[in-house]
Amino acid sequence: MTTFLTFTILGLVLGSVYAIAASGLVLTYNTSGIFNFAHGAQAMLGTFVYWQLSVGWGLPVWLSLLLVVGVFGPLMGLLLHKLIMGALRDTAEVAKIVVTVAVMLGMVYLSQWIWDPVEPRTLTMFFGADASVEIAGVVVRVHEILCLVVALAIALGLRMLFHRTRVGVVMRGTVDSPDLLRLNGHDPARVAAFSWALGSALAVLAGILITPVSGGSLEANALTLLVIDAFAAAMFGRLRSIPPAFAGAMVLGLLGAYVTAYFPSEWSWTGNFRVSLPMILLFIVIIVLPQDRLRGAATRTRERYRVPSVRAAAAWGLALVGIVFLYSLLLADSGITTLGLGMAFAIIALSLTVLTGYAGEMNLAPLSFAAIATVIVFHFGITGTGLDATLNLPGIVLAVLATAVVGGLVALPALRLRGLYLALATLAFGALLSNMVLRDTVEHTVAGFTFTLFPDGTLIIPKPRFGPVDMGEPLTFLLVATALFALISVGLAALRNSGYGRRLAAMKDSPAATAMLGQNLVKLKLSVFMLSAAIAGLGGILMSSGMGSVDGEHFGIMASLALVMLVVVGGIGYISGALFGGVMSGIGFTLLVGTFNDLAISQPQAATFFQLLGNVVMVGTALIGMGVGKTPSGSVQGIMDGYRSLRHARPVLIGGAALVAVLYVLALAGVYGSWTFSLLAMVVVMALPAVGHKLMPHAVTAVEGHGHSGQDEIRDDEPFTDALRDRLDLALGLPARVPGVRAAAPVLKKGEEVNAPA
């Protein structure tokens, strides 16, 4: 009985902290419509600030708590809403998710910059670990009682706020009808800002309370993920109601405590199951609870994507292979290997292009499918041993097909989910895989067959070899990976321009309308999930063989979120966006940080400066993601639109190409290194549209009049002028109209159609 009471109290304490965090999450979602994935990072950052004030600088505990919970937390929430979240109006769900993910990553990087992760930091319980009382023979610390009392007070306070105060009524009105609220003289944006301030304060309070209970030293990733467990509690009330969220938090805390107390110690997976329990409950709750109905009409968003023709995709694919080959001539073997790894990540990123960019379905754990393929190919796809070991083609095919099947199985229970619910379901799947499979290092015996899923926590994956094609050679690996990326890209372009691709686009725009037209949404979702998982699996095999050895951290949920963020930054509806996101996620920022660290070691007199640059690069990664609200179609859109405006300024284009060629020849001759060439070539590429505007304004302006941005919205009351017709013609891919000449209607051959943007 003592054991039961002990762990019941522990479960209630953990549940009370989860309830505090979940209530803040519900507040921000209800008033702004944005699910704050950075909620755990806010708790983490506030906890570090509290440690700095109370331990690092020696301020009194009560003053530190007042400054952090009463000032720093609310100010952090206000700034987030004012500077970032307000720009997310009229953006797709993926953009809203990615921005909050970027905030989360930025806070993690910032905390690791300010507080060195190598140095241990701990927080003690309020009133000390020895301050306790005895209840029914169970010793309960005062800090734990305080957690319960604070949670109960917050629950009652929020109840009174919503039902007994004018502010609470206005907050509820913001959820029901912001337009009606605005007509009555209230500002929904101000209400949302207040909710973000209050939600941030609750997150910080939860982080400070739970850290001494969970024990161990402060660590940014661990504390962020610990508070993320409150996501499951928030979903008990479907992100709408705080009382069910509190009840769910208590259930979550009690189940975790009982698993620790009563699961047999000889079960090797008990610890992993305990860590995974919140994500398991999150997945179950999302599937079981009733969801919103299918959307009857598309929500007007600011994303605009141009669909390339198959011919254009093939031309760009050949150009990519050629450019990569020429660039590889400037690199040493280590650089070629690194670039090949980046191309493997780009293939994984293509799985997001087809799933989210084309079909509008969410997946926040693409690297989890890469992990599945890696585990399967390790067990069934290796021929030979030692230095003679290689990956065989049947094993690779088996791993890709098996990953596609797993993708279908994951999609089956989530077929009726969409948007945020689907994103959370895939997040839960990724966390579950990381905790249960990638940490499974013990032997299992099933039907007389003994195996270990992830032996020793590390998998050694050799390079493939197909006849004379030995991918053990760095250049061969790079060219094969690039060619595979190009081939898959052409295939996706063909798919998007096919009838199947148009059905995916229709499902993305309006599932209800697509279903009423006789399309089978179940088959569409299931097939696109399987295709996406297969592409991620193939990229994962290449990534793992490129690294040589991989562990669970390479497939962690944080790495998946970073990949998703960078693909959206590049443009998740573009193949080039996948190339940008994959390369930058796989090698870009890591290579930059490594370069600055090497410079700091080789030049100790400037070590502080180079270390500063390395940290700025990491935080800058997140800052790029935070800007998605201003450019929801991705950075590739802006770059390509700038070059489309130069179509009639051929001398500028030829001059830019010639300059890059000269820079390449100089680099090939050894005048400077590959890094210098890369920076100079990037400057030329980025500056060329501006140079064209300056040197040939008349040629550029003629195209600009057609609305080259592709994102200018046409108002209902805008008069139908020649300029407006030119903008519509450009958007529809029709020939440009020459002033003074009446354009003839385009003649389409049988079976031919005009490609319109998605």
Side-chain angles (χ1 to χ4, degrees), residues 403-606:
T403 305
V405 173
V406 173
L409 293 176
V410 171
L412 277 176
L415 284 176
R416 67 191 182 97
L417 302 181
R418 192 173 171 84
L420 175 61
Y421 291 113
L422 183 57
L424 288 171
T426 56
L427 177 72
F429 166 73
L432 176 63
L433 184 81
S434 296
N435 294 328
M436 291 295 292
V437 176
L438 304 186
R439 292 183 181 180
D440 189 359
T441 59
V442 300
E443 288 189 349
H444 304 277
T445 300
V446 177
F449 179 69
T450 301
F451 64 95
T452 304
L453 289 177
F454 221 85
D456 301 323
T458 303
L459 300 182
I460 307 298
I461 308 296
K463 303 288 193 303
R465 183 186 303 162
F466 311 114
V469 180
D470 184 7
M471 294 182 65
E473 296 293 328
L475 181 58
T476 304
F477 183 93
L478 171 61
L479 293 179
V480 170
T482 306
L484 282 175
F485 177 87
L487 289 173
I488 296 173
S489 299
V490 174
L492 292 184
L495 180 145
R496 179 58 185 85
N497 284 282
S498 67
Y500 176 77
R502 286 189 285 272
R503 288 194 293 272
L504 291 180
M507 180 178 68
K508 176 182 178 180
D509 290 338
S510 178
T514 305
M516 289 191 65
L517 290 173
Q519 300 301 317
N520 190 323
L521 295 185
V522 173
K523 289 184 178 179
L524 282 175
K525 288 186 177 182
L526 189 61
S527 61
V528 76
F529 258 98
M530 294 181 70
L531 176 61
S532 174
I535 295 173
L538 177 60
I541 294 172
L542 289 175
M543 180 197 81
S544 301
S545 64
M547 291 181 174
S549 64
V550 291
D551 56 36
E553 294 300 321
H554 290 106
F555 308 103
I557 194 63
M558 287 294 190
S560 284
L561 292 175
L563 176 61
V564 173
M565 180 194 73
L566 288 170
V567 174
V568 174
V569 167
I572 200 163
Y574 293 111
I575 292 170
S576 51
L579 179 63
F580 170 87
V583 171
M584 295 305 293
S585 174
I587 64 172
F589 293 105
T590 303
L591 192 59
L592 286 172
V593 173
T595 300
F596 288 131
N597 290 337
D598 292 341
L599 289 172
I601 295 173
S602 61
Q603 301 183 34
Q605 69 278 6

Side-chain angles (χ1 to χ4, degrees), residues 134-207:
E134 186 172 331
I135 301 176
V138 178
V139 176
V140 184
R141 297 179 178 87
V142 174
H143 181 94
E144 296 173 338
I145 297 176
L146 183 63
C147 291
L148 292 169
V149 172
V150 169
L152 181 61
I154 289 175
L156 294 176
L158 291 176
R159 175 75 179 178
M160 293 182 64
L161 173 67
F162 282 123
H163 295 277
R164 300 293 179 87
T165 67
R166 184 177 181 85
V167 174
V169 173
V170 172
M171 293 173 66
R172 292 164 59 193
T174 303
V175 180
D176 296 333
S177 179
D179 293 332
L180 184 60
L181 190 70
R182 192 178 292 109
L183 288 174
N184 282 273
H186 298 285
D187 185 2
R190 183 178 299 176
V191 176
F194 172 76
S195 298
W196 274 83
L198 182 57
S200 180
L202 292 175
V204 170
L205 178 60

Side-chain angles (χ1 to χ4, degrees), residues 680-703:
L680 292 175
M682 186 178 300
V683 169
V684 172
V685 170
M686 299 299 293
L688 200 59
V691 172
H693 282 244
K694 186 71 174 178
L695 297 181
M696 302 184 66
H698 299 293
V700 174
T701 303
V703 180

Side-chain angles (χ1 to χ4, degrees), residues 238-541:
R238 293 187 61 196
L239 301 174
R240 297 292 182 184
S241 177
I242 290 180
F246 264 75
M250 294 303 174
V251 170
L252 182 63
L254 289 172
L255 286 179
Y258 292 152
V259 166
T260 303
Y262 295 110
F263 272 39
S265 57
E266 60 269 17
W267 290 0
S268 58
W269 49 271
T270 297
N272 295 339
F273 181 79
R274 165 66 185 84
V275 175
S276 305
L277 186 59
M279 292 298 104
I280 295 174
L281 287 180
L282 175 61
F283 192 84
I284 293 175
V285 168
I286 290 174
I287 299 301
V288 171
L289 288 183
Q291 308 299 326
D292 297 330
R293 294 180 179 179
L294 289 176
R295 291 183 292 114
T299 302
R300 185 76 178 267
T301 62
R302 291 182 280 123
E303 286 80 358
R304 300 290 184 272
Y305 298 117
R306 289 186 173 90
V307 182
S309 65
V310 178
R311 180 178 300 177
W316 280 109
L318 289 174
L320 176 65
V321 174
I323 292 171
V324 168
F325 172 73
L326 292 175
Y327 185 66
S328 68
L329 300 179
L330 305 177
L331 302 176
D333 283 349
S334 59
I336 295 174
T337 300
T338 302
L339 185 56
L341 184 61
M343 295 306 303
F345 268 89
I347 293 176
I348 300 175
L350 282 175
S351 68
L352 297 173
T353 300
V354 64
L355 183 65
T356 306
Y358 293 172
E361 303 298 322
M362 299 292 297
N363 178 18
L364 296 185
L367 290 180
S368 297
F369 294 103
I372 292 171
T374 298
V375 171
I376 294 174
V377 83
F378 172 79
H379 288 287
F380 302 103
I382 298 179
T383 301
T385 58
L387 297 177
D388 295 328
T390 61
L391 289 183
N392 57 65
L393 183 59
I396 294 175
V397 173
L398 174 64
V400 171
L401 294 177
T403 305
V405 173
V406 173
L409 293 176
V410 171
L412 277 176
L415 284 176
R416 67 191 182 97
L417 302 181
R418 192 173 171 84
L420 175 61
Y421 291 113
L422 183 57
L424 288 171
T426 56
L427 177 72
F429 166 73
L432 176 63
L433 184 81
S434 296
N435 294 328
M436 291 295 292
V437 176
L438 304 186
R439 292 183 181 180
D440 189 359
T441 59
V442 300
E443 288 189 349
H444 304 277
T445 300
V446 177
F449 179 69
T450 301
F451 64 95
T452 304
L453 289 177
F454 221 85
D456 301 323
T458 303
L459 300 182
I460 307 298
I461 308 296
K463 303 288 193 303
R465 183 186 303 162
F466 311 114
V469 180
D470 184 7
M471 294 182 65
E473 296 293 328
L475 181 58
T476 304
F477 183 93
L478 171 61
L479 293 179
V480 170
T482 306
L484 282 175
F485 177 87
L487 289 173
I488 296 173
S489 299
V490 174
L492 292 184
L495 180 145
R496 179 58 185 85
N497 284 282
S498 67
Y500 176 77
R502 286 189 285 272
R503 288 194 293 272
L504 291 180
M507 180 178 68
K508 176 182 178 180
D509 290 338
S510 178
T514 305
M516 289 191 65
L517 290 173
Q519 300 301 317
N520 190 323
L521 295 185
V522 173
K523 289 184 178 179
L524 282 175
K525 288 186 177 182
L526 189 61
S527 61
V528 76
F529 258 98
M530 294 181 70
L531 176 61
S532 174
I535 295 173
L538 177 60
I541 294 172

